[in-house]
């Protein structure tokens, strides 16, 4: 799952009506407008949708597919697309601006009451509710409990002095893990709420501190530069003791490390003036309703049902998706799952940053990757050069892919 391209980290959960997708229909679906067309990512939803139809009498045309870009799929032919679909929240801004998504006018208060603060933030754009959250996803720290103690992993300095962390600072995808360092140090990416085009302020003293810290890791003997794929191998063969990654690597790491595998929130980092919590990007998994639906009320009812506490618990049981519901997150069964508990901890506002939803993010990723890579490789020699590079990045962050 999207470990080298940030938007793709959660986008793998978006879906499309491809000709190769498996189609399951809960009841005979015709051209009748009373049938709600649904796109989901897994057949585990089949019995859930059947129960919805049984309870409500609303017929559902159920289709399974995969897509890296839900908004692009809707753009192709909105009238032929699903009424209800899954998508990663970072695509919300593009969808709203393109007029692709129906505003959640009926269940906003329910979502605000039942879902976590971060999930609510991910479902809104410019103050209006559009999405129906059904899960959250963020990276955590995996570590070998035979090599590192729970105390060892509390700070980056302790972690990398007592063990070896395998991570990517020099290749594509470094931005997803390390752009949040700027927010860890008090800066903003597209403003406090991630929706202000001119709200990025990395080009200050705090930003320079972050680049200098990144550059210093080249000489840190406890940091092993590696791709994500190679990092898994290094964890498996004992050459590395810790790794920053998400729930998608849980099964592979458990298979290799078994009971030795530990999971925790990110460590603290010190940029020069005290320890600060290292933050990660947070993704919110959403259901949305097609703006061109002819079944707005039924579609909203289905989207709300699929994001309900009952369904979130069922999907956690079947697929392990970490819930966004406050009640389900507090469930003992969820809390006993080490990865889910760590993701829930990281998903708190003090530990993570909700991925900005602005379309400008598309053009931000490339320059931010290059900046982090060059800083780590020692290609940016002075504070003055770092300031200049940050000034350029901030200007680039304001451009859209249409500029």
């Amino acid at each position: 799952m999207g470990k080298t391209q940030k938007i793709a980290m959660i986008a793998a959960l978006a879906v499309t009506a491809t000709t190769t997708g498996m189609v399951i229909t809960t009841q005979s679906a015709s051209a009748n407008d009373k049938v709600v067309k649904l796109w989901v990512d897994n057949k585990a939803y089949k019995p859930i949708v059947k129960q919805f139809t049984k309870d409500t009498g609303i017929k559902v045309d159920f289709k399974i597919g995969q897509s890296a870009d839900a908004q692009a799929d809707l753009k192709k032919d909105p009238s032929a697309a699903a009424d209800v679909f899954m998508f990663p929240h970072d695509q919300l801004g593009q969808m709203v601006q393109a007029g692709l998504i129906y505003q959640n006018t009926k269940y906003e208060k329910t979502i605000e009451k039942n879902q976590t603060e971060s999930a609510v933030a991910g479902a809104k754009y410019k103050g209006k509710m559009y999405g129906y959250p059904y899960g959250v996803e963020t990276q955590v720290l995996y570590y070998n409990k035979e090599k590192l103690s729970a105390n060892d992993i509390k700070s980056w300095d302790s972690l990398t002095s007592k063990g070896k962390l395998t991570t990517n600072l020099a290749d594509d995808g470094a931005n997803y893990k390390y752009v949040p360092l700027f927010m860890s140090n008090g800066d903003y990416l597209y403003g406090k709420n991630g929706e202000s085009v001119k709200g990025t302020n990395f080009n200050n003293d705090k930003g320079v501190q972050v680049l200098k810290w990144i550059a210093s890791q080249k000489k840190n003997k406890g940091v092993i530069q590696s791709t994500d794929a190679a990092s898994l191998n290094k964890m498996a063969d004992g050459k590395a003791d810790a790794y920053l990654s998400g729930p998608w690597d849980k099964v592979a790491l458990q298979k290799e490390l078994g009971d030795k595998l530990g999971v925790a929130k990110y460590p603290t980092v010190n940029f020069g003036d005290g320890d600060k919590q290292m933050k990660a990007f947070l993704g919110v998994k959403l259901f949305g309703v097609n703006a061109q639906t002819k079944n707005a009320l039924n579609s909203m009812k289905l989207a709300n049902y699929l994001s309900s506490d009952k369904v979130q618990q069922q999907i956690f049981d079947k697929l392990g998706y970490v819930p966004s519901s406050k009640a389900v997150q507090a469930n003992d069964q969820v809390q006993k799952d080490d990865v889910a508990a760590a993701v829930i901890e990281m998903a708190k506002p003090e530990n993570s940053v909700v991925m900005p939803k602005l379309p400008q993010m598309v053009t931000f990723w490339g320059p931010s990757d290059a900046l982090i890579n060059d800083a780590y490789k020692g290609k940016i020699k002075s504070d003055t050069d770092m300031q200049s590079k940050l000034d350029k990045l901030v200007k680039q962050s304001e451009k859209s892919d249409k500029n």
Side-chain angles (χ1 to χ4, degrees):
M1 175 134 158
K3 300 182 288 260
T4 59
Q5 181 61 37
K6 314 28 341 162
I7 297 177
M9 172 185 96
I10 306 168
L13 292 176
V15 290
T16 184
T18 59
T19 56
T20 58
M22 176 167 65
V23 180
I24 304 168
T25 307
T26 59
Q27 291 190 28
S28 179
S30 66
N32 191 328
D33 287 344
K34 292 183 179 179
V35 176
V36 176
K37 186 188 294 185
L38 171 67
W39 292 350
V40 292
D41 68 345
N42 196 286
K43 64 182 180 181
Y45 280 94
K46 180 182 177 182
I48 292 169
V49 172
K50 282 188 174 181
Q51 186 62 49
F52 171 79
T53 296
K54 182 178 179 181
D55 292 343
T56 65
I58 298 171
K59 298 177 181 180
V60 179
D61 178 4
F62 181 95
K63 181 169 285 189
I64 299 170
Q66 287 291 96
S67 172
D69 201 340
Q71 59 89 23
D73 294 327
L74 286 171
K75 279 182 179 179
K76 291 175 185 177
D77 186 357
S79 63
D83 295 296
V84 179
F85 55 91
M86 287 175 160
F87 71 104
H89 88 274
D90 57 283
Q91 293 181 13
L92 183 56
Q94 299 174 67
M95 288 184 176
V96 173
Q97 291 189 17
L100 299 173
I101 190 165
Y102 196 94
Q103 187 179 340
N104 180 354
T105 56
K106 189 173 182 180
Y107 298 100
E108 180 176 5
K109 290 183 179 179
T110 299
I111 288 172
E112 289 179 338
K113 177 183 177 181
N114 297 336
Q115 306 276 354
T116 64
E117 177 183 342
S118 295
V120 170
K124 286 186 172 184
Y125 186 69
K126 302 297 183 182
K128 295 180 179 180
M129 180 75 73
Y130 291 92
Y132 302 74
Y134 68 94
V136 292
E137 192 164 65
T138 186
Q139 296 210 153
V140 293
L141 174 71
Y142 290 104
Y143 68 101
N144 188 327
K145 292 190 289 188
E146 288 190 349
K147 303 286 188 66
L148 295 163
S149 69
N151 197 52
D152 292 337
I153 63 170
K154 288 184 178 180
S155 75
W156 182 278
D157 290 343
S158 175
L159 169 63
T160 59
S161 65
K162 297 185 178 182
K164 292 188 179 296
L165 171 76
T166 178
T167 193
N168 173 27
L169 282 156
D171 295 310
D172 291 346
N175 48 15
Y176 181 71
K177 286 187 174 75
Y178 293 105
V179 163
L181 287 175
F182 292 95
M183 286 77 91
S184 303
N185 205 27
D187 283 343
Y188 293 119
L189 177 61
Y190 297 115
K192 188 174 182 180
N193 66 356
E195 295 185 2
S196 174
V197 173
K198 295 184 180 295
T200 302
N201 66 339
F202 293 2
N203 56 334
N204 54 21
D205 290 343
K206 293 178 180 178
V208 172
Q209 274 188 323
V210 171
L211 284 189
K212 291 172 73 173
W213 183 90
I214 290 172
S216 72
Q217 299 311 304
K218 185 78 180 291
K219 297 180 180 179
N220 187 339
K221 294 181 179 179
V223 174
I224 304 172
Q225 163 57 31
S226 183
T227 64
D228 286 327
S231 289
L232 286 172
N233 292 331
K234 287 179 170 59
M235 287 290 289
D237 62 23
K239 292 180 180 178
D241 310 313
Y243 175 44
L244 302 173
S245 189
W248 49 87
D249 279 330
K250 170 185 174 180
V251 173
L253 287 166
Q254 284 184 330
K255 180 180 179 181
E256 297 295 342
L257 296 179
D259 293 339
K260 296 185 294 183
L261 182 65
V263 192
K265 73 174 185 176
Y266 274 11
T268 59
V269 288
N270 189 335
F271 300 109
D273 53 7
D275 287 339
K276 297 177 181 179
Q277 177 60 48
M278 183 179 181
K279 294 186 176 183
F281 276 127
L282 173 73
V284 182
K285 301 175 183 178
L286 301 173
F287 280 99
V289 174
N290 189 333
Q292 292 196 23
T293 182
K294 296 178 180 179
N295 294 306
L297 291 178
N298 285 350
S299 295
M300 285 193 288
K301 180 176 285 190
L302 175 59
N304 187 62
Y305 180 83
L306 294 173
S307 64
S308 66
D309 289 2
K310 175 183 177 181
V311 174
Q312 286 194 34
Q313 181 66 58
Q314 289 176 312
I315 291 300
F316 172 78
D317 294 341
K318 294 179 178 180
L319 302 177
Y321 293 175
V322 180
S324 56
S325 156
K326 289 184 284 189
V328 183
Q329 284 190 358
N331 184 290
D332 286 344
Q333 185 181 358
V334 175
Q335 287 294 325
K336 288 178 181 177
D337 183 296
D338 290 346
V339 174
V343 169
I344 290 169
E345 182 65 25
M346 279 298 295
K348 293 178 179 178
E350 62 267 28
N351 297 329
S352 59
V353 179
V354 177
M355 181 80 76
K357 301 178 281 286
L358 288 175
Q360 282 77 9
M361 281 296 292
V362 174
T363 53
F364 171 80
W365 289 121
S368 62
D369 230 359
L371 180 61
I372 291 169
N373 294 169
D374 287 349
Y376 175 78
K377 293 174 183 177
K379 293 183 178 181
I380 310 175
K381 301 297 184 182
S382 66
D383 289 12
T384 301
D385 288 341
M386 288 182 178
Q387 181 65 56
S388 176
K389 295 287 187 181
L390 288 167
D391 288 340
K392 184 177 180 180
L393 178 66
V394 168
K395 288 183 179 179
Q396 290 173 318
S397 73
E398 299 172 4
K399 299 178 180 180
S400 71
D401 57 357
K402 294 181 181 179
N403 289 143

